[in-house]
Amino acid sequence: MYVDEMIVPDTSFADVYKDKVQEYLEKMQDDSIDLEEIDEQLCKNLNILKGASLTLGGLLFFGKRPQKTRPAFCVKAVSFIGNDISSVDYRESRDITGTIPVMYQESLAFFDRHLFRTQQGQDFNSTGILEISEVALQELMQNALTHRDYTKNSPIRIFIFDNRIEIISPGCLPNSLTIENIKLGNAVIRNNLIVSYASKLMRYRGIGSGIARALKRQPDIIFQDDREGEQFKVTIPRPPRP
């Protein structure tokens, strides 16, 4: 059994955000499903519920307050002043919570607030181009949220330093996957339910092409599969400021 199919104790149908289920059903485009009736049986059919409790995947996509029962499954984001994680000086530090789609959007907004935009031949009134590829950040955050190891009771971490950014996910690569494998588009699905929900509720294709797409836009991405520390780390150097 996939870990995201396991039940979350102390949850129930009352914790389901029905509007999100409605949105998911509309994107499924299944005419056999009555969109007007979001009941317990329907949620069981969609694997949002198992018995009387939410599955972990159901909680993280359709739960009203996912971190109420799983507080560690959030994103901790810090924008430091300088290049040292031990620094006590930072521009912003916050816990990003909510469902996976909400955490994804809020994480991208955090990057947008703390990375620079530059004019690169665009119109004077344009907002400029982000110093690190937005496509790369989108792909990396989707991968972090959908493929992290949810058996580890720890958050995803985003660190923005003056000279680099880091995205650190709990859990190393699964099974026999290597960094070279994922660069070539090979993938092993760790969280089956989460991936299936993400394919409808996020800009996620689930075919293993995300890393290759990120590298095409941002070739200087550094990947570290830290087996001893049981984490996967992505580092992107920031361009020097004039």
Side-chain angles (χ1 to χ4, degrees):
M1 180 184 292
Y2 294 96
V3 67
D4 59 341
E5 295 177 358
M6 298 179 70
I7 66 167
V8 181
D10 301 319
T11 61
S12 69
F13 180 63
D15 298 306
V16 174
Y17 189 13
K18 294 181 182 179
D19 287 353
K20 291 298 179 184
V21 179
Q22 180 97 11
E23 180 185 349
Y24 178 66
L25 292 172
E26 289 171 355
K27 291 186 177 180
M28 284 180 65
Q29 297 180 334
D30 187 342
D31 294 335
S32 67
I33 299 176
D34 182 4
L35 299 183
E36 300 299 324
E37 188 62 36
I38 310 297
D39 58 15
E40 288 191 50
Q41 187 56 52
L42 176 60
C43 288
K44 290 177 182 179
N45 294 343
L46 296 172
N47 293 313
I48 296 169
L49 286 175
K50 183 174 288 186
S53 302
L54 271 73
T55 60
L56 179 59
L59 176 74
L60 291 172
F61 268 87
F62 305 101
K64 292 177 181 177
R65 293 174 59 198
Q67 285 73 31
K68 179 181 178 181
T69 52
R70 289 294 181 268
F73 294 167
C74 64
V75 178
K76 290 186 176 287
V78 184
S79 176
F80 290 96
I81 296 173
N83 300 314
D84 189 347
I85 195 172
S86 65
S87 173
V88 296
D89 298 320
Y90 56 83
R91 298 176 180 89
E92 184 183 1
S93 175
R94 63 170 299 206
D95 288 356
I96 298 172
T97 59
T99 62
I100 285 178
V102 169
M103 289 191 287
Y104 168 72
Q105 293 294 343
E106 290 296 316
S107 297
L108 294 180
F110 188 86
F111 284 122
D112 193 58
R113 285 197 300 277
H114 295 286
L115 297 178
F116 294 109
R117 289 185 177 270
T118 59
Q119 298 295 325
Q120 299 178 27
Q122 323 90 293
D123 180 83
F124 177 79
N125 293 318
S126 71
T127 57
I129 296 174
L130 207 64
E131 61 179 289
I132 291 174
S133 165
E134 292 183 73
V135 170
L137 293 174
Q138 291 165 6
E139 296 294 346
L140 293 170
M141 281 311 305
Q142 286 192 130
N143 276 351
L145 288 160
T146 57
H147 295 307
R148 62 152 288 176
D149 187 348
Y150 282 100
T151 67
K152 310 295 182 190
N153 195 37
S154 53
I156 294 168
R157 290 171 289 164
I158 293 174
F159 297 144
I160 299 179
F161 299 95
D162 289 348
N163 68 352
R164 69 193 186 281
I165 70 167
E166 295 177 356
I167 302 170
I168 304 169
S169 303
C172 49
L173 291 176
N175 299 334
S176 58
L177 271 187
T178 65
I179 289 171
E180 290 307 312
N181 290 155
I182 63 172
K183 287 181 179 179
L184 294 172
N186 295 328
V188 172
I189 295 177
R190 175 183 264 147
N191 303 305
N192 194 50
L193 272 185
I194 287 173
V195 165
S196 68
Y197 298 147
S199 67
K200 297 293 189 296
L201 294 173
M202 298 170 67
R203 297 174 63 185
Y204 178 80
R205 301 189 67 192
I207 58 175
S209 60
I211 295 297
R213 195 156 41 249
L215 284 167
K216 184 176 181 179
R217 300 294 187 95
Q218 190 75 37
D220 57 354
I221 301 172
I222 301 165
F223 300 100
Q224 181 185 358
D225 187 25
D226 181 0
R227 303 233 162 219
E228 184 175 342
E230 298 188 21
Q231 62 184 15
F232 188 79
K233 181 177 179 180
V234 178
T235 304
I236 306 178
R238 296 180 65 182
R241 299 295 297 167

